[in-house]
């Protein structure tokens, strides 16, 4: 992976941009500087790269996701323009400040040649900002490290060293993004990323199946994913267990590809299969199957940030590497939006809907482990596994946990996992009620612009619950937090509109369409805050309740129409996943991953018809529906 360091002399224009200027500058002043992007550190150590808010802040950042145990330092080596004194600025935030919560849990230090600065970072500001640090004196060759102090979700975007000790960098995102790119030496004109028959954006079940299906039907495909693994919600990073019946009549081969990539059953020790050990989700299998397909170009850690479109047609997408910042232009004849958030459709001006309130939240999956159980310790995914294993071997198994005054205070409140309380359809074992599917928040927030706050509210709920169990109820002395998702497990977002907008009543009334494309078997599953757990928590609800009753079920398997799988106003745009053409209530039965994967299979087959006959996705229905049905009868492994 190409890595650049932002080191040199700030000329007048760059200095003016970083100060928040938006027009040209007449000053001739220059300043020596070093600008470090955290994601470009040579070693990330135990810090995780989080790209989810790139669209809001212009850059990924590093997250100290240690579950209460400080993570290993992130490190890099820097060659300064010259020795001397530099002011240090760190772009960060106090992540609990939006709730005016005390304690600033995300504390970290910046180490210069292994010595910490006097200022502690992550302690100020509800928003991302430049936190002013010390004036330091450095030699030309210098080591820089991020040293986590708590393990409680500290975060760092970038570090600036400037010889002008009075200079103050801007927090304006537009100016800062322009400055970053100037320093990268990257022009606004992206590099050529190639031309393809079919570009699939989003590497969850829907996108992965769409790419495989299209490639096996003869297309030259690019699959673009902004994480290092495939699977989306069904990956080791999020760990929602894929649901939905596959391989149903009258098209029993729809679902073949889903079954190739889907994880196999694994019995958990506590609760449901959600949030179990990451190996159970078999990320390696998905990557192996995709990489073995010669017609697929797989681009991981690439986020789509822009489309080039005109006259209701997409010509290209612009992607940005989440580590290097390098941008590329990907051209294609047809595109599939499998992003879940309908990112590509939105950028291209596609018609869409999004609920203004009562949005299903983001899953908050987590698990615990027993440090006195050697087998559990050996299988654990803890970032301090070596130390934990050693402690277990010598019998030091007690696992204290600090009080968390910044978390949601659950000292005197019920929650699933506390004695005599469990979530809907919860386990009889209290530990089985921790971190399951009903741990969910974000019901009153925008799933796109508020994603960091929603995820952070999940953190506050988890840490508050574990604090209450360990320190108030005095339970589980040998247990510790084992794993928690930091990548969003979203249920609801934008929905792109097609020629048919499927509603829950279509399922209830068994409305038949002449273009059946994928089978739905999940109930009309809509989540709302659970009334038993939301006292005094308005805006901070974190436990959900699924819809039940005869009005939320339907008979048998329902075949949803192909016309929900393409945009009604962008002529070469398909979609698969939870961003297809359904109403809010219609989202309930279609959003589970095996079902989404089958949408992708059909989209891949339809795209091959488009290329062969130079047709639009709409014309597949109008003129070539018989050809699509013929392909739907063919095995998913069959190649042309």
């Amino acid at each position: 992976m190409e890595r650049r360091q932002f080191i040199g002399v700030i000329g007048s224009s760059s200095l003016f941009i970083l100060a928040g200027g938006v027009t040209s500058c007449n000053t001739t002043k220059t300043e020596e500087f070093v600008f470090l992007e955290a994601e470009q550190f040579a070693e990330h150590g135990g810090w995780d790269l989080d790209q989810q808010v790139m669209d809001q802040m212009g850059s990924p950042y590093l997250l100290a996701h240690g579950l209460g145990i400080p993570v290993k330092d992130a490190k890099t080596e820097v060659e300064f323009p010259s020795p001397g004194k530099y002011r240090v600025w760190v772009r960060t935030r106090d992540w609990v400040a939006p709730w005016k919560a005390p304690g600033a849990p995300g504390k970290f230090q910046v180490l210069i040649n292994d010595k910490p600065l006097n200022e502690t970072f992550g302690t100020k500001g509800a928003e991302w900002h430049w936190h002013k640090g010390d004036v330091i004196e450095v030699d030309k060759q210098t080591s820089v490290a991020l040293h986590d102090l708590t393990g409680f979700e500290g975060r760092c975007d970038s570090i600036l060293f400037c010889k002008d000790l009075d200079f103050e960098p801007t927090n304006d995102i537009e100016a800062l993004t322009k400055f970053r790119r100037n320093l990268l030496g990257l022009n606004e004109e992206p590099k050529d990323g190639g031309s393809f028959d079919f570009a699939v954006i989003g590497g969850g079940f829907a996108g992965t199946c769409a790419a495989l299906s299209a490639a096996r039907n003869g297309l030259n495909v690019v699959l673009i994913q902004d994480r290092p693994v495939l699977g989306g919600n069904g990956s080791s990073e999020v760990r929602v267990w894929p649901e939905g019946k596959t391989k149903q009549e009258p098209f029993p081969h729809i679902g073949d590809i889903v079954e190739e990539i889907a994880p196999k059953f694994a019995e958990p020790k506590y609760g449901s299969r959600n949030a179990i050990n990451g190996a159970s989700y078999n990320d390696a299998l998905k990557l192996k199957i995709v990489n073995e397909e010669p017609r697929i170009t797989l681009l991981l850690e690439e986020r789509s940030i822009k489309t080039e479109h005109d006259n209701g047609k997409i010509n290209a997408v612009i992607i940005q590497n989440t580590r290097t910042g390098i941008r590329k232009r990907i051209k294609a004849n047809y595109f599939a939006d499998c992003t879940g958030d309908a990112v590509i459709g939105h950028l291209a001006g596609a018609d869409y809907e999004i609920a203004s309130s009562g949005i299903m939240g983001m899953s908050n999956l987590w698990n615990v482990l027993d440090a006195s159980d050697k087998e559990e310790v050996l299988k654990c995914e803890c970032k301090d596994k070596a130390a934990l294993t050693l402690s277990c071997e010598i019998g030091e198994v007690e696992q204290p946990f600090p009080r968390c005054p910044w978390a949601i205070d659950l000292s005197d409140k019920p929650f699933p996992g506390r004695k005599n309380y469990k979530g809907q359809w919860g386990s009889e074992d209290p530990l089985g009620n921790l971190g399951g599917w009903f741990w969910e928040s974000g019901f009153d927030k925008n799933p796109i612009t508020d994603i960091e706050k929603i995820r952070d509210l999940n953190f506050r709920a988890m840490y508050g619950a574990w604090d209450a169990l360990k320190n108030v109820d005095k339970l589980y002395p040998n247990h510790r937090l084992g794993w928690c998702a930091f990548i969003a497990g979203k249920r609801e977002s934008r929905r792109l509109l097609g020629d048919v907008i499927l509603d829950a009543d279509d399922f209830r009334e068994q409305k038949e369409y002449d273009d059946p494309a994928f089978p739905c078997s999940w109930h009309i599953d809509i989540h709302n805050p659970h009334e038993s757990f939301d006292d005094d928590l308005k805006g901070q609800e974190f436990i959900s309740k699924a819809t039940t009753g005869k009005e939320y079920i339907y008979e048998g398997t329902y075949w949803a129409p192909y016309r929900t799988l393409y945009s009604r106003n962008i002529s070469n745009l398909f979609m698969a996943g939870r961003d297809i053409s359904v109403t809010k209530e219609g989202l309930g039965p279609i959003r589970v991953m095996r079902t989404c994967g089958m949408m992708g299979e059909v989209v891949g087959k339809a795209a091959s018809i488009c290329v062969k006959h130079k047709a639009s996705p709409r014309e597949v229905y109008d003129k070539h529906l018989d050809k699509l049905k013929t392909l739907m009868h063919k095995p998913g492994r069959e190649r042309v």
Side-chain angles (χ1 to χ4, degrees), residues 175-194:
L176 181 57
T177 300
K178 187 175 181 180
F179 175 75
R180 292 180 200 268
R181 300 200 64 74
N182 280 354
L183 294 180
L184 274 167
L186 297 175
N187 296 324
E188 285 304 301
E189 180 63 22
K191 294 183 176 182
D192 181 10

Side-chain angles (χ1 to χ4, degrees), residues 29-40:
K29 183 178 182 180
T30 61
E31 289 296 341
E32 292 177 335
F33 75 96
V34 170
F35 186 91
L36 298 178
E37 286 278 29
E39 67 270 18
Q40 293 198 349

